[in-house]
Amino acid sequence: MEPADTDVTDPENHDGGTAVEDAGAAPGRTTLADVLLAVEELWPESLAESWDEVGLVAGHPAAAVSNVMFAVDPTLDVIEEAIDWGADLLITHHPLLLRGVTSVAATSAKGRSVHRLIESGTALLTVHTNGDSAVGGVSDVLADALGLQDATPLTASTHGLPEEGIGRVGDLPEAMTLGDFAARVFGILPAVAGGVRVSGDKDGLVRRIAVCGGAGDSLFAEVRASNADVYVTADLRHHPASEAREAALNGRPYLVDVSHFASEWLWLPPAAAALGNVLTDQGHEVQIRVSGTNSDPWDFILTPG
């Protein structure tokens, strides 16, 4: 079966998204329950971290699904985009309700989000750390985009395949300078205000690369154990980054700090195509689109010079 076509759209474009057209061949009614089964095949909930909240947030399993949208964040702008397009299901990487709540009244942003979803008949599904750990997940996509070879998990899953787990580490085909590698990282990511921050010798040669899409400052011990020359991740805070520099051997691992949103957005087009292919194989006809909304929280940055 040929994979579904994916036309990647820059997430800076707020007027449209990436479409995976006609992701099925056989006519008939596809339900939310059908899509949930396909999602479980690709990103099993058992792979989620114990603290995480993944799965169906809103929606009736018996409801018909014709249009599915993927996004990083379930923000109100993303939800409105999904509703305007006619999405029956919005699949986001980040949870809407990660921490406990006592009210979903429309007096709060999260409450308004829940109301808009239910009132419009749009289901919401979260694929978070199960999407990080799975084969073909967030860090796998990031590693592939950087050209890493023989990538393996930084932390192997305790209840999955050996290839599953958080983060990845692999090797570039040839060594390159940290400056050139940082430029490669910058070039593959969506444009966001924060850009890419780098810690290390710009002319230092690097080859072994560790990556973790999203916030990965809890993995420094695993990164050092992997003998990585560079660690690419997001949301590096002052103290963990400073301590990592102090503990570095010969200055390594160097650090490349990227946008949380941008590092995880890369997963969306491959994820949309993968879901389209599974649904096609199961005889379902669904259109799948990637959100064009840039949900990175920053609008501009000031730098010296």
Side-chain angles (χ1 to χ4, degrees):
M1 186 71 66
E2 290 297 319
D5 293 333
T6 303
D7 177 22
V8 177
T9 300
D10 190 326
E12 284 288 344
N13 173 13
H14 291 251
D15 299 322
T18 301
V20 181
E21 300 294 346
D22 299 328
R29 185 175 183 273
T30 300
T31 67
L32 177 56
D34 294 323
V35 181
L36 293 177
L37 286 173
V39 167
E40 179 66 16
E41 180 177 327
L42 290 165
W43 309 292
E45 288 193 18
S46 62
L47 292 179
E49 297 295 299
S50 60
W51 51 263
D52 203 6
E53 297 293 340
V54 302
L56 191 62
V57 179
H60 197 295
V65 172
S66 298
N67 298 328
V68 178
M69 179 171 284
F70 274 80
V72 174
D73 297 292
T75 62
L76 282 164
D77 283 345
V78 169
I79 290 170
E80 292 298 339
E81 179 193 4
I83 293 170
D84 288 345
W85 177 58
D88 305 296
L89 170 62
L90 174 62
I91 300 176
T92 62
H93 185 56
H94 290 146
L96 175 65
L97 304 172
L98 180 59
R99 295 176 178 84
V101 296
T102 57
S103 169
V104 291
T107 52
S108 69
K110 289 188 183 294
R112 288 194 295 274
S113 297
V114 171
H115 277 259
R116 286 298 288 140
L117 290 164
I118 294 175
E119 290 165 358
S120 65
T122 307
L124 175 63
L125 176 67
T126 298
V127 178
H128 193 207
T129 52
N130 48 329
D132 290 324
S133 291
V135 174
V138 171
S139 291
D140 260 345
V141 170
L142 182 56
D144 288 345
L146 291 172
L148 304 189
Q149 299 176 333
D150 303 321
T152 58
L154 277 172
T155 61
S157 170
T158 58
H159 42 255
L161 301 173
E163 298 85 1
E164 295 171 331
I166 299 294
R168 296 292 185 269
V169 60
D171 298 300
L172 296 168
E174 296 180 353
M176 60 195 309
T177 67
L178 176 62
D180 287 342
F181 176 73
R184 176 179 291 188
V185 173
F186 180 82
I188 67 168
L189 296 177
V192 294
V196 172
R197 300 188 299 177
V198 185
S199 171
D201 179 2
K202 186 176 182 180
D203 296 319
L205 293 179
V206 301
R207 186 169 187 183
R208 188 155 180 80
I209 313 296
V211 302
C212 180
D217 63 11
S218 64
L219 299 178
F220 276 121
E222 289 81 1
V223 171
R224 284 190 287 270
S226 75
N227 295 315
D229 297 313
V230 185
Y231 184 32
V232 181
T233 191
D235 294 346
L236 285 179
R237 297 169 294 156
H238 174 86
H239 292 295
S242 178
E243 290 166 5
R245 290 193 60 156
E246 291 294 311
L249 180 63
N250 297 322
R252 297 162 193 258
Y254 300 138
L255 306 178
V256 177
D257 184 37
V258 302
S259 155
H260 192 129
F261 161 81
S263 70
E264 295 176 331
W265 185 91
L266 291 177
W267 172 72
L268 301 183
L275 180 60
N277 289 340
V278 171
L279 290 172
T280 295
D281 289 343
Q282 295 174 351
H284 298 292
E285 185 172 347
V286 177
Q287 291 193 86
I288 305 178
R289 172 175 291 194
V290 170
S291 166
T293 299
N294 182 345
S295 56
D296 187 271
W298 305 108
D299 294 312
F300 64 91
I301 188 170
L302 304 179
T303 59

